[in-house]
Amino acid sequence: MNVPLYEKVWMWAAGGLIVAFVATVLITAIGGALQPPSHVETIDPAKVWTDARFKDQGVTATANGATVVALGMMFAFVPNEIHVPAHRPVTFRLTSSDVTHGFEIVGTNGNTMLVPGYVSQFTTTFDRPGEYLIVCNEYCGIGHHLMSAKLVVEERTP
Ligand code: CUA
């Protein structure tokens, strides 16, 4: 078969791109970047309501910051309203009791997936007091667009 040189160049270029794309997926997967945050801590999604780490949802505040324990489920966050102090590190510990949800605090860098079977954890500091919207940013079913909560960042004296 007689393939003109110009066509050969494009065939090799297209083949090279396919190899590059597959290599990108494999390298990131093997490198561990495709795992959820804190993927070492697992939890039985059917028992999150009685698990010692998640049965008391809410905020524990100390002089140095706060810890928030919250759950995502179809189609709500528990608790629905979270009050945290400004200017101090706030650690969020989150999981899902059913399917994969998102937890995005709009306008901040607080954002993680809630993957059933895993505990997601991140720490951030809010410098602007006020009300923030928390939304689910992973499509989780018919009521996905209704799944939201409120974060209230409060100016507190120590
Ligand atoms: Cu939960 Cu979308």
Side-chain angles (χ1 to χ4, degrees):
M1 191 170 69
N2 182 24
V3 180
L5 175 66
Y6 187 65
E7 203 165 327
K8 274 186 191 157
V9 168
W10 279 106
M11 284 163 66
W12 279 107
L17 277 176
I18 291 168
V19 170
F21 292 153
V22 171
T24 305
V25 171
L26 289 178
I27 289 165
T28 50
I30 293 164
L34 295 183
Q35 290 163 329
S38 304
H39 62 276
V40 287
E41 191 175 341
T42 57
I43 187 166
D44 182 347
K47 295 184 183 142
V48 291
W49 298 101
T50 51
D51 188 287
R53 294 166 288 175
F54 280 93
K55 68 179 165 58
D56 299 316
Q57 304 91 26
V59 183
T60 310
T62 65
N64 302 320
T67 301
V68 177
V69 171
L71 286 167
M73 61 179 187
M74 290 188 272
F75 298 99
F77 294 104
V78 181
N80 188 250
E81 188 171 322
I82 299 168
H83 290 248
V84 295
H87 316 297
R88 281 178 247 167
V90 179
T91 298
F92 290 82
R93 287 181 49 79
L94 311 155
T95 191
S96 165
S97 64
D98 39 48
V99 300
T100 298
H101 297 281
F103 185 94
E104 178 182 355
I105 307 167
V106 178
T108 73
N109 65 352
N111 188 0
T112 186
M113 279 171 88
L114 311 185
V115 182
Y118 293 97
V119 177
S120 297
Q121 179 174 322
F122 67 88
T123 301
T124 189
T125 302
F126 303 99
D127 286 323
R128 277 181 299 126
E131 284 188 15
Y132 294 83
L133 179 66
I134 299 170
V135 293
C136 175
N137 58 11
E138 297 283 340
Y139 183 74
C140 53
I142 195 84
H144 163 70
H145 61 291
L146 301 171
M147 188 168 168
S148 67
K150 193 202 287 185
L151 178 79
V152 182
V153 177
E154 296 170 337
E155 199 78 65
R156 288 184 200 165
T157 43

